[in-house]
Each structure stands twice: as structure tokens, then as C-alpha cells.
Amino acid sequence: MFFMFDTLEGYIQPGTVEAELVQQVDFSRLPVHVAIIMDGNGRWARQRNLPRTEGHKAGSESVKEAVEAAARLGIKYLTLYAFSKENWKRPKDEVNTLWSLLKKYLAEESKVLLENDLKLKVIGERTGIPYLVRRELARVERLTRNNKRMTVILALNYGGRQEILRAIKKMIRRKSRTEEVDENLFSRYLDTAGLPDPDLLIRTSGEMRLSNFLLWQCAYTELWVTPVLWPDFRRRDLLQAIVDYQKRERRFGGLESAANNHRS
Ligand code: FPP
């Protein structure tokens, strides 16, 4: 069964906390790009005396909810930190579970992405990704490449510093001239070339760190940290993050609200 992510109608029940939050959202000022550090799967499992892999399984359900909620709200780009360079240091069994969950997600959700006009994009170092997962990723990226409603960006085998170094190496190989190197040009060599920087970065499970995620791109991003563990993350948490984000004044280093100036 595939279902359409229509509007918020029928998705948000009247009289609930979610409905109250929706009332507070200014839909003309939504963050264009939301990035999420999905953390706390292990702790969620430990609290229930379950193996860590069960936390990751529950975490993939939260991924589905976050994608649907973001699309319905009208977010244009959603980036999820699904596997970091550092995640390879975990026990083999856990690493294998993470990749096989991703493969399962792609197999199950590719039709949902397609039917809801969602595009999949991968950032990170593809060569290190297990072959079968890589093949599935390429298939879904190809399948959804013309979709327009929202782009789901999966950060896989990703590290911010490594991405910056890869960009520098590419620039050297292409013999960029010193005088032409500026922020704009450099951004075009990053994995995120062509994507706007995140407006809002959400991190679950209370940690106050960037953990090597989108280091260049998050220069002016608003950070929102919640104690909620990723497997417990629901549409209400995304709504709360957006409501809080909209209460903030983004100055981009200037003196007054400069969101529009910066983007022009
Ligand atoms: C952090 O929890 C989460 C991860 C390392 C991976 C995130 C992966 C998923 C949500 C599942 C698969 C992804 C997709 C896109 C279907 P942690 O293990 O670091 O938690 P802890 O800090 O409590 O130990």
C-alpha cells in the first residue's frame, strides 16, 4: 500500500498538541532546509533492555515519520545524518544492521518517494558504502531525480572535514586559480553543491555537538537540541522545532534581521 502525503488535513488531529503547534507555524517563513542529527538510538534500546540494533530499527520508523511530516509541512530539503565516518568504529554487527536497515528502507520507500514527488540525494563518500547498498541508492536516486516537492538528502559515510578535504583536492585537480576561489566557488565543490545551506539543524538526545556534520554549511544555521531520543521523535517534535526557530531573529552577523539580505 502506498499513500500520498497530501496536506496536513487528516494528518493532524484537531484538539491535539500537534494542532496547537500547527496554529503557531508561519507557513510563509518555513525553514527551507532542515538537517537532523539523529541521535539516541542506543540509549533508547538500553532503556528497554534491548540490543542497540533494536534502537536503530525503531529509528528507521522515525525517519519515515520525519520525511512525511517535513513533506506535508512544505519543507524543501531534509538532510539526515544516517551514517558517519566515525560509525565504522562500532561493532561489526551494529554496522551491518545499519546498512541493512538502510537497504530495507530504500526497498520499501522508493515507491513512496516517487509517488510523493520526493527526490533522494546522497552526500558522503560513496566508495566506502557496501556495494549492494550503493547500487540501491543509485537506483532510487535515478528513479526520483526529476522530483520537485522535497529533496531527502542522506548523509552516508559522511564527515564534514573529509568533505572539505575532498573539495580542496578537486579544486587543486581542476587547477582553480587563487583569485577565483571564494565561498561561492568552494561551495560548488562540496557534496552539497547546488543545495541551500541548512536554516535549522535539529539534534536529538540532548548532545550539544556538531559531530563533524555539515561543518561548512552550518556557518549560520540555527541549532535546536531536544532531549527526545531519535526513536521517539515524532511530528510534534518537528513542529516544535519549527515554531522555536521562527521565534528567533537570524542576523547572519549583522545588526538586524538580515535573512533576506543574506540570501539575495
Ligand atoms: C545514533 O544513535 C544514530 C545512528 C548512528 C544512525 C542513524 C540510523 C538510523 C536512524 C536508522 C537507519 C537509517 C535510515 C535512513 C533508514 P546512537 O546509536 O549513536 O545512539 P546512542 O548515542 O544513544 O548510543
Side-chain angles (χ1 to χ4, degrees), residues 33 76-82 102 105-106 113 118-124 126 129 137-138 140-145 147 150-156 158 163 170 187-188 190-196 214 217:
H33 184 171
K76 299 307 287 179
Y77 300 89
L78 178 70
T79 300
L80 302 171
Y81 202 6
L102 178 68
Y105 172 83
L106 294 168
L113 295 174
L118 309 181
K119 186 199 282 201
L120 182 83
K121 186 182 162 57
V122 177
I123 57 170
R126 279 172 201 258
I129 298 174
L137 286 165
V140 182
E141 277 187 309
R142 218 171 25 245
L143 189 72
T144 62
R145 67 178 184 274
N147 291 353
M150 180 177 86
T151 304
V152 178
I153 300 133
L154 293 180
L156 297 168
Y158 178 86
E163 180 195 26
K170 257 187 261 170
S187 298
R188 281 190 253 139
L190 292 167
D191 296 353
T192 50
L195 304 174
L214 300 176
Q217 298 86 339

Side-chain angles (χ1 to χ4, degrees), residues 19 114 157 222 256:
L114 194 60
N157 194 23
E222 294 293 326
E256 60 204 68

Side-chain angles (χ1 to χ4, degrees), residues 181-251:
V181 177
D182 60 12
E183 292 182 16
N184 240 324
L185 180 94
F186 185 68
S187 298
R188 281 190 253 139
Y189 283 91
L190 292 167
D191 296 353
T192 50
L195 304 174
D197 288 341
D199 302 291
L200 169 63
L201 172 65
I202 295 174
R203 180 162 189 156
T204 58
S205 97
E207 261 22 283
M208 304 276 186
R209 285 192 290 277
L210 276 183
S211 298
N212 205 13
F213 189 45
L214 300 176
L215 296 180
W216 170 273
Q217 298 86 339
C218 282
Y220 293 102
T221 301
E222 294 293 326
L223 310 183
W224 188 83
V225 177
T226 173
V228 169
L229 305 176
W230 179 250
D232 291 326
F233 191 89
R234 293 291 172 269
R235 63 198 77 169
R236 74 170 64 171
D237 302 301
L238 181 62
L239 283 164
Q240 187 66 63
I242 293 171
V243 167
D244 292 349
Y245 161 86
Q246 291 186 332
K247 286 185 190 144
R248 300 186 191 172
E249 187 195 2
R250 299 184 76 193
R251 302 201 309 196

Side-chain angles (χ1 to χ4, degrees), residues 38-43 52 56 59-60 63 82 87 90 94 98 102 105 154 230:
M38 311 182 284
D39 195 12
N41 295 352
R43 272 161 282 178
R52 295 177 53 82
H56 297 314
S60 358
V63 168
N87 285 155
R90 298 187 176 202
E94 185 173 342
L98 283 168
L102 178 68
Y105 172 83
L154 293 180
W230 179 250

